[in-house]
Amino acid sequence: MKLTTQQQLAFDTISQAIANRQPVLLTGFAGTGKSTTIATVIKSLSHKMITIATPTHKAAAVLSAMLETNGIISPNVKVTTI
């Protein structure tokens, strides 16, 4: 997946927060690339236990579908709602 400049900045920020064991909150309007950014983060960290909390079931379904579409299936990754 090719990230835009803003997505790459978000990816770097999220990766740093994860390395520092800090929670991360990613927000944005529909279509801004949140799912793509998160899918890229998960792909780079799929060897770790990851839980992603979304505000709605629809958001969880969209993210789960994005992960599956990109071949990112791992028992270490859990997508849930808040």
Side-chain angles (χ1 to χ4, degrees):
M1 287 177 272
K2 178 103 170 93
L3 299 179
T4 66
T5 302
Q6 289 293 328
Q7 289 170 325
Q8 185 63 52
L9 178 61
F11 173 87
D12 295 341
T13 301
I14 293 166
S15 296
Q16 184 65 38
I18 291 169
N20 292 328
R21 304 188 79 131
Q22 298 174 329
V24 179
L25 176 63
L26 180 64
T27 64
F29 293 106
T32 57
K34 297 178 300 292
S35 295
T36 300
T37 302
I38 291 299
T40 304
V41 170
I42 292 169
K43 189 171 187 174
S44 73
L45 298 171
S46 61
H47 61 285
K48 296 186 179 232
M49 295 296 291
I50 301 170
T51 299
I52 301 165
T54 64
T56 66
H57 292 292
K58 181 171 181 163
V62 168
L63 184 54
S64 293
M66 169 73 76
L67 296 175
E68 188 173 331
T69 298
N70 289 287
I72 306 168
I73 306 297
S74 170
N76 296 336
V77 178
K78 180 180 179 184
V79 180
T80 187
T81 57
I82 296 174

